[in-house]
């Protein structure tokens, strides 16, 4: 049979696994290269190694859900600082290459985010391939799907700890929690931290303030903010920006019902929220002081960057640059200060990563991230990175990557290299052969 390539569709990849008589497969870093669980996946392993998004990732695990047959995955970047931790994204992908690349990019970003936030976790990310049509909206299917995902995570022995991300909801996380202990962002009703969106919004606003202060532009008071995306994080951000004295907020979103809701909620305030079609990116043409990408990634590109009329780009979306090196330099060339996403949007993982230690009202472990004195606070780290960029001639993303990668290489004080040891155990025990 023909081996899968990066261009193979998700459906054909699923069929390829079925033809080989397996529900599970992996690509694991060993002896400097990716080792495939099955010979027919070796060409795919070589293609992933050649991908610009591959950065010595420690493993990519695939499974077909026991009840649903849906393709599930977990990707690990570096785990010396701790086991891989990051949310599970449920999205539609045109190819297995796009599916894998998202896991590679997002897991590396999570590792950097965790390190900059002072968390003892490594880089990890889950991905679920959303099936064509409307089946993904059916509650019964979603319950079965996230039960499947929890079982998959359990099978990985804790090398990956999952959480909420795009396309995954609090009820979905409750189902995940029913089949694995290796999850965070679980409902408050069972001892979790609940919805992380409000904390994420405050963290992004703190990063905006750090960037404006670094540039000598004062505070958010009197500023105009343009936002692409006004969902859970974006809507909470609007409220926080108003509290900080923003003079004008213009946002766009593809959800017409949400736009109507926000229009009613912020009636009489200097807030405009526009309903747009998925391919409408006119928000990039909006004159503003700060532009906030809050939707999906890869939106900052040669097509959109020349249209920006702002001094600062700082938002909640992950992986905002279409091409990390090219687009980071393009922003710098236009004298636009870019705050890398993993610097600004950390609070989603911060608010839930250490749920096992219990919760406190106005928890100091959370609140300190919003301050101005703690060395790992969002505002402080933002200013540190922008200052280093100025002093070294690097772009903000280059400065942030350098600092984050150095921190990510610090061994966990109790369980250094635990994630890699867990992966090695999975390989030795032939995880891919399990039939249950």
């Amino acid at each position: 049979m023909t081996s899968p390539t990066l261009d193979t569709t998700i459906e054909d990849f699923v069929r390829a696994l079925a033809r080989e008589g397996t529900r599970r497969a992996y690509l694991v870093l060993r002896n400097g290269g990716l080792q495939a669980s099955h010979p027919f996946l070796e060409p795919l392993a070589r293609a992933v190694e050649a991908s610009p998004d591959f950065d010595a990732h420690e493993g990519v695990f695939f499974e077909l859900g026991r009840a649903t047959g849906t393709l599930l995955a977990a990707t690990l970047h570096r785990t010396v600082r701790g086991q891989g931790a990051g949310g599970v994204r449920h999205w539609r992908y045109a190819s297995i290459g796009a599916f894998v690349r998202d896991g590679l990019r997002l897991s590396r970003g999570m590792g950097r985010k965790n390190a900059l936030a002072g968390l003892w976790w490594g880089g990890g990310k889950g991905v679920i391939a959303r099936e064509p049509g409307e089946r993904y909206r059916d509650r019964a299917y979603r319950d079965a799907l996230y039960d499947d995902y929890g079982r998959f995570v359990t099978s990985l022995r804790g090398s990956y700890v999952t959480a909420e991300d795009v396309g995954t909801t609090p009820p979905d996380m409750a189902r995940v929690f029913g089949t694995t202990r290796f999850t965070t962002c679980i409902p408050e009703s069972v001892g979790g931290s609940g919805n992380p969106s409000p904390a994420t919004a405050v963290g992004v606003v703190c990063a905006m303030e750090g960037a404006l202060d670094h540039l000598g532009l004062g505070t958010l008071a009197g500023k105009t903010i343009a936002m692409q995306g006004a969902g859970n994080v974006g809507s909470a951000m609007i409220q926080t920006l108003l509290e900080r004295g923003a003079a004008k907020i213009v946002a766009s979103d593809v959800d017409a019902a949400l736009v109507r809701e926000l229009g009613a909620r912020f009636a009489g305030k200097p807030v405009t929220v526009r309903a747009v079609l998925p391919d409408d990116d006119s928000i990039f043409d909006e004159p503003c002081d700060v532009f906030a990408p809050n939707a999906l990634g890869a939106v900052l590109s040669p097509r959109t960057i020349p249209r920006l009329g702002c001094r600062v780009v700082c938002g909640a979306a992950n992986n905002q640059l279409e091409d990390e090196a090219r687009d980071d330099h393009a922003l710098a060339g236009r004298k636009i200060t870019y705050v890398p996403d993993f610097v600004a949007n950390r609070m989603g993982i911060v608010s839930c990563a250490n749920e096992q230690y219990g919760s406190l009202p106005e928890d100091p472990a959370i609140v300190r991230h919003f301050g101005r004195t703690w060395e790992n606070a969002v505002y402080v780290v933002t200013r540190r990175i922008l200052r280093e960029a100025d002093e070294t001639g690097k772009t903000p993303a280059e400065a942030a990557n350098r600092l984050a990668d150095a921190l990510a290489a610090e061994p966990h004080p109790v369980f250094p290299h635990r994630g890699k040891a867990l992966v090695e155990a999975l390989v030795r025990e032939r995880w891919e052969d399990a039939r249950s």
Side-chain angles (χ1 to χ4, degrees), residues 390-413:
D390 285 351
E391 291 173 353
T392 62
K394 297 181 181 298
T395 65
E398 290 169 338
N401 291 343
R402 178 179 175 182
L403 174 60
D405 289 344
L407 292 171
E410 293 182 354
H412 189 285

PDB file of all heavy atoms in Angstrom, residues 390-413:
ATOM      1  N   ASP A 390      15.245  45.457  22.044  1.00  0.00           N
ATOM      2  CA  ASP A 390      15.841  46.748  21.687  1.00  0.00           C
ATOM      3  C   ASP A 390      17.357  46.732  21.861  1.00  0.00           C
ATOM      4  O   ASP A 390      18.105  47.257  21.023  1.00  0.00           O
ATOM      5  CB  ASP A 390      15.243  47.861  22.558  1.00  0.00           C
ATOM      6  CG  ASP A 390      13.829  48.238  22.148  1.00  0.00           C
ATOM      7  OD1 ASP A 390      13.371  47.764  21.087  1.00  0.00           O
ATOM      8  OD2 ASP A 390      13.179  48.994  22.897  1.00  0.00           O
ATOM      9  N   GLU A 391      17.811  46.131  22.957  1.00  0.00           N
ATOM     10  CA  GLU A 391      19.239  46.171  23.282  1.00  0.00           C
ATOM     11  C   GLU A 391      20.074  45.276  22.381  1.00  0.00           C
ATOM     12  O   GLU A 391      21.256  45.553  22.142  1.00  0.00           O
ATOM     13  CB  GLU A 391      19.434  45.773  24.751  1.00  0.00           C
ATOM     14  CG  GLU A 391      18.891  46.810  25.736  1.00  0.00           C
ATOM     15  CD  GLU A 391      18.939  46.313  27.178  1.00  0.00           C
ATOM     16  OE1 GLU A 391      19.276  45.119  27.388  1.00  0.00           O
ATOM     17  OE2 GLU A 391      18.652  47.113  28.088  1.00  0.00           O
ATOM     18  N   THR A 392      19.474  44.203  21.887  1.00  0.00           N
ATOM     19  CA  THR A 392      20.232  43.236  21.089  1.00  0.00           C
ATOM     20  C   THR A 392      19.979  43.339  19.592  1.00  0.00           C
ATOM     21  O   THR A 392      20.668  42.680  18.801  1.00  0.00           O
ATOM     22  CB  THR A 392      19.894  41.801  21.533  1.00  0.00           C
ATOM     23  OG1 THR A 392      18.488  41.559  21.304  1.00  0.00           O
ATOM     24  CG2 THR A 392      20.213  41.597  23.019  1.00  0.00           C
ATOM     25  N   GLY A 393      18.996  44.143  19.208  1.00  0.00           N
ATOM     26  CA  GLY A 393      18.643  44.235  17.799  1.00  0.00           C
ATOM     27  C   GLY A 393      17.810  43.077  17.308  1.00  0.00           C
ATOM     28  O   GLY A 393      17.582  42.927  16.105  1.00  0.00           O
ATOM     29  N   LYS A 394      17.334  42.248  18.219  1.00  0.00           N
ATOM     30  CA  LYS A 394      16.473  41.129  17.848  1.00  0.00           C
ATOM     31  C   LYS A 394      15.030  41.589  17.775  1.00  0.00           C
ATOM     32  O   LYS A 394      14.671  42.662  18.271  1.00  0.00           O
ATOM     33  CB  LYS A 394      16.602  39.995  18.874  1.00  0.00           C
ATOM     34  CG  LYS A 394      17.982  39.378  18.965  1.00  0.00           C
ATOM     35  CD  LYS A 394      18.000  38.261  19.978  1.00  0.00           C
ATOM     36  CE  LYS A 394      19.391  37.648  20.103  1.00  0.00           C
ATOM     37  NZ  LYS A 394      19.838  37.037  18.824  1.00  0.00           N
ATOM     38  N   THR A 395      14.195  40.785  17.159  1.00  0.00           N
ATOM     39  CA  THR A 395      12.767  41.059  17.196  1.00  0.00           C
ATOM     40  C   THR A 395      12.212  40.565  18.527  1.00  0.00           C
ATOM     41  O   THR A 395      12.839  39.747  19.212  1.00  0.00           O
ATOM     42  CB  THR A 395      12.039  40.333  16.052  1.00  0.00           C
ATOM     43  OG1 THR A 395      12.154  38.916  16.274  1.00  0.00           O
ATOM     44  CG2 THR A 395      12.623  40.707  14.694  1.00  0.00           C
ATOM     45  N   PRO A 396      11.021  41.024  18.933  1.00  0.00           N
ATOM     46  CA  PRO A 396      10.435  40.533  20.187  1.00  0.00           C
ATOM     47  C   PRO A 396      10.254  39.018  20.216  1.00  0.00           C
ATOM     48  O   PRO A 396      10.486  38.393  21.251  1.00  0.00           O
ATOM     49  CB  PRO A 396       9.091  41.265  20.239  1.00  0.00           C
ATOM     50  CG  PRO A 396       9.330  42.542  19.502  1.00  0.00           C
ATOM     51  CD  PRO A 396      10.252  42.162  18.382  1.00  0.00           C
ATOM     52  N   ALA A 397       9.853  38.425  19.103  1.00  0.00           N
ATOM     53  CA  ALA A 397       9.670  36.974  19.091  1.00  0.00           C
ATOM     54  C   ALA A 397      10.994  36.256  19.285  1.00  0.00           C
ATOM     55  O   ALA A 397      11.072  35.244  20.005  1.00  0.00           O
ATOM     56  CB  ALA A 397       9.004  36.528  17.796  1.00  0.00           C
ATOM     57  N   GLU A 398      12.067  36.756  18.642  1.00  0.00           N
ATOM     58  CA  GLU A 398      13.381  36.146  18.829  1.00  0.00           C
ATOM     59  C   GLU A 398      13.839  36.247  20.279  1.00  0.00           C
ATOM     60  O   GLU A 398      14.356  35.276  20.853  1.00  0.00           O
ATOM     61  CB  GLU A 398      14.398  36.807  17.909  1.00  0.00           C
ATOM     62  CG  GLU A 398      14.199  36.481  16.427  1.00  0.00           C
ATOM     63  CD  GLU A 398      15.047  37.348  15.511  1.00  0.00           C
ATOM     64  OE1 GLU A 398      15.459  38.456  15.937  1.00  0.00           O
ATOM     65  OE2 GLU A 398      15.295  36.926  14.368  1.00  0.00           O
ATOM     66  N   ALA A 399      13.633  37.417  20.884  1.00  0.00           N
ATOM     67  CA  ALA A 399      14.019  37.606  22.286  1.00  0.00           C
ATOM     68  C   ALA A 399      13.190  36.714  23.202  1.00  0.00           C
ATOM     69  O   ALA A 399      13.715  36.114  24.148  1.00  0.00           O
ATOM     70  CB  ALA A 399      13.862  39.073  22.678  1.00  0.00           C
ATOM     71  N   ALA A 400      11.894  36.615  22.923  1.00  0.00           N
ATOM     72  CA  ALA A 400      11.016  35.787  23.751  1.00  0.00           C
ATOM     73  C   ALA A 400      11.370  34.309  23.609  1.00  0.00           C
ATOM     74  O   ALA A 400      11.410  33.569  24.605  1.00  0.00           O
ATOM     75  CB  ALA A 400       9.559  36.011  23.363  1.00  0.00           C
ATOM     76  N   ASN A 401      11.637  33.860  22.384  1.00  0.00           N
ATOM     77  CA  ASN A 401      12.005  32.458  22.161  1.00  0.00           C
ATOM     78  C   ASN A 401      13.303  32.111  22.890  1.00  0.00           C
ATOM     79  O   ASN A 401      13.430  31.036  23.486  1.00  0.00           O
ATOM     80  CB  ASN A 401      12.170  32.178  20.673  1.00  0.00           C
ATOM     81  CG  ASN A 401      10.859  32.216  19.914  1.00  0.00           C
ATOM     82  OD1 ASN A 401       9.785  32.150  20.510  1.00  0.00           O
ATOM     83  ND2 ASN A 401      10.941  32.333  18.604  1.00  0.00           N
ATOM     84  N   ARG A 402      14.248  33.021  22.848  1.00  0.00           N
ATOM     85  CA  ARG A 402      15.540  32.770  23.500  1.00  0.00           C
ATOM     86  C   ARG A 402      15.361  32.607  25.005  1.00  0.00           C
ATOM     87  O   ARG A 402      15.890  31.657  25.604  1.00  0.00           O
ATOM     88  CB  ARG A 402      16.487  33.937  23.199  1.00  0.00           C
ATOM     89  CG  ARG A 402      17.848  33.828  23.856  1.00  0.00           C
ATOM     90  CD  ARG A 402      18.713  35.015  23.478  1.00  0.00           C
ATOM     91  NE  ARG A 402      19.991  35.004  24.183  1.00  0.00           N
ATOM     92  CZ  ARG A 402      20.917  35.940  24.065  1.00  0.00           C
ATOM     93  NH1 ARG A 402      20.710  36.963  23.249  1.00  0.00           N
ATOM     94  NH2 ARG A 402      22.042  35.862  24.736  1.00  0.00           N
ATOM     95  N   LEU A 403      14.619  33.492  25.611  1.00  0.00           N
ATOM     96  CA  LEU A 403      14.389  33.406  27.050  1.00  0.00           C
ATOM     97  C   LEU A 403      13.571  32.169  27.403  1.00  0.00           C
ATOM     98  O   LEU A 403      13.910  31.425  28.336  1.00  0.00           O
ATOM     99  CB  LEU A 403      13.669  34.667  27.535  1.00  0.00           C
ATOM    100  CG  LEU A 403      13.236  34.675  29.003  1.00  0.00           C
ATOM    101  CD1 LEU A 403      14.448  34.514  29.920  1.00  0.00           C
ATOM    102  CD2 LEU A 403      12.471  35.960  29.325  1.00  0.00           C
ATOM    103  N   ALA A 404      12.504  31.920  26.648  1.00  0.00           N
ATOM    104  CA  ALA A 404      11.627  30.788  26.949  1.00  0.00           C
ATOM    105  C   ALA A 404      12.357  29.463  26.787  1.00  0.00           C
ATOM    106  O   ALA A 404      12.201  28.553  27.614  1.00  0.00           O
ATOM    107  CB  ALA A 404      10.402  30.827  26.043  1.00  0.00           C
ATOM    108  N   ASP A 405      13.163  29.336  25.731  1.00  0.00           N
ATOM    109  CA  ASP A 405      13.866  28.075  25.498  1.00  0.00           C
ATOM    110  C   ASP A 405      14.912  27.814  26.584  1.00  0.00           C
ATOM    111  O   ASP A 405      15.152  26.664  26.965  1.00  0.00           O
ATOM    112  CB  ASP A 405      14.510  28.070  24.115  1.00  0.00           C
ATOM    113  CG  ASP A 405      13.482  27.969  22.995  1.00  0.00           C
ATOM    114  OD1 ASP A 405      12.325  27.614  23.284  1.00  0.00           O
ATOM    115  OD2 ASP A 405      13.835  28.255  21.836  1.00  0.00           O
ATOM    116  N   ALA A 406      15.540  28.881  27.088  1.00  0.00           N
ATOM    117  CA  ALA A 406      16.489  28.712  28.188  1.00  0.00           C
ATOM    118  C   ALA A 406      15.768  28.228  29.444  1.00  0.00           C
ATOM    119  O   ALA A 406      16.243  27.325  30.148  1.00  0.00           O
ATOM    120  CB  ALA A 406      17.218  30.020  28.465  1.00  0.00           C
ATOM    121  N   LEU A 407      14.612  28.800  29.727  1.00  0.00           N
ATOM    122  CA  LEU A 407      13.849  28.391  30.904  1.00  0.00           C
ATOM    123  C   LEU A 407      13.290  26.977  30.731  1.00  0.00           C
ATOM    124  O   LEU A 407      13.232  26.198  31.690  1.00  0.00           O
ATOM    125  CB  LEU A 407      12.705  29.381  31.149  1.00  0.00           C
ATOM    126  CG  LEU A 407      13.126  30.787  31.585  1.00  0.00           C
ATOM    127  CD1 LEU A 407      11.928  31.732  31.572  1.00  0.00           C
ATOM    128  CD2 LEU A 407      13.759  30.745  32.977  1.00  0.00           C
ATOM    129  N   ALA A 408      12.867  26.631  29.505  1.00  0.00           N
ATOM    130  CA  ALA A 408      12.312  25.305  29.248  1.00  0.00           C
ATOM    131  C   ALA A 408      13.351  24.205  29.422  1.00  0.00           C
ATOM    132  O   ALA A 408      13.001  23.040  29.618  1.00  0.00           O
ATOM    133  CB  ALA A 408      11.723  25.244  27.842  1.00  0.00           C
ATOM    134  N   ALA A 409      14.634  24.560  29.355  1.00  0.00           N
ATOM    135  CA  ALA A 409      15.709  23.581  29.519  1.00  0.00           C
ATOM    136  C   ALA A 409      16.074  23.359  30.981  1.00  0.00           C
ATOM    137  O   ALA A 409      16.924  22.509  31.284  1.00  0.00           O
ATOM    138  CB  ALA A 409      16.945  24.034  28.751  1.00  0.00           C
ATOM    139  N   GLU A 410      15.440  24.099  31.896  1.00  0.00           N
ATOM    140  CA  GLU A 410      15.714  23.902  33.329  1.00  0.00           C
ATOM    141  C   GLU A 410      14.986  22.653  33.813  1.00  0.00           C
ATOM    142  O   GLU A 410      13.765  22.550  33.677  1.00  0.00           O
ATOM    143  CB  GLU A 410      15.249  25.117  34.125  1.00  0.00           C
ATOM    144  CG  GLU A 410      16.044  26.386  33.846  1.00  0.00           C
ATOM    145  CD  GLU A 410      15.575  27.554  34.700  1.00  0.00           C
ATOM    146  OE1 GLU A 410      14.567  27.389  35.425  1.00  0.00           O
ATOM    147  OE2 GLU A 410      16.220  28.615  34.651  1.00  0.00           O
ATOM    148  N   PRO A 411      15.700  21.701  34.397  1.00  0.00           N
ATOM    149  CA  PRO A 411      15.049  20.453  34.827  1.00  0.00           C
ATOM    150  C   PRO A 411      14.061  20.669  35.965  1.00  0.00           C
ATOM    151  O   PRO A 411      14.273  21.523  36.836  1.00  0.00           O
ATOM    152  CB  PRO A 411      16.229  19.589  35.297  1.00  0.00           C
ATOM    153  CG  PRO A 411      17.446  20.192  34.682  1.00  0.00           C
ATOM    154  CD  PRO A 411      17.156  21.660  34.588  1.00  0.00           C
ATOM    155  N   HIS A 412      12.991  19.919  35.928  1.00  0.00           N
ATOM    156  CA  HIS A 412      12.021  19.921  37.022  1.00  0.00           C
ATOM    157  C   HIS A 412      12.766  19.612  38.325  1.00  0.00           C
ATOM    158  O   HIS A 412      13.597  18.701  38.371  1.00  0.00           O
ATOM    159  CB  HIS A 412      10.949  18.864  36.754  1.00  0.00           C
ATOM    160  CG  HIS A 412       9.786  18.918  37.681  1.00  0.00           C
ATOM    161  ND1 HIS A 412       9.844  18.485  38.980  1.00  0.00           N
ATOM    162  CD2 HIS A 412       8.504  19.358  37.498  1.00  0.00           C
ATOM    163  CE1 HIS A 412       8.678  18.643  39.572  1.00  0.00           C
ATOM    164  NE2 HIS A 412       7.847  19.181  38.692  1.00  0.00           N
ATOM    165  N   PRO A 413      12.492  20.352  39.409  1.00  0.00           N
ATOM    166  CA  PRO A 413      13.266  20.168  40.638  1.00  0.00           C
ATOM    167  C   PRO A 413      13.062  18.817  41.319  1.00  0.00           C
ATOM    168  O   PRO A 413      13.896  18.401  42.126  1.00  0.00           O
ATOM    169  CB  PRO A 413      12.773  21.313  41.529  1.00  0.00           C
ATOM    170  CG  PRO A 413      11.437  21.686  40.987  1.00  0.00           C
ATOM    171  CD  PRO A 413      11.517  21.449  39.518  1.00  0.00           C
TER     172      PRO A 413
END
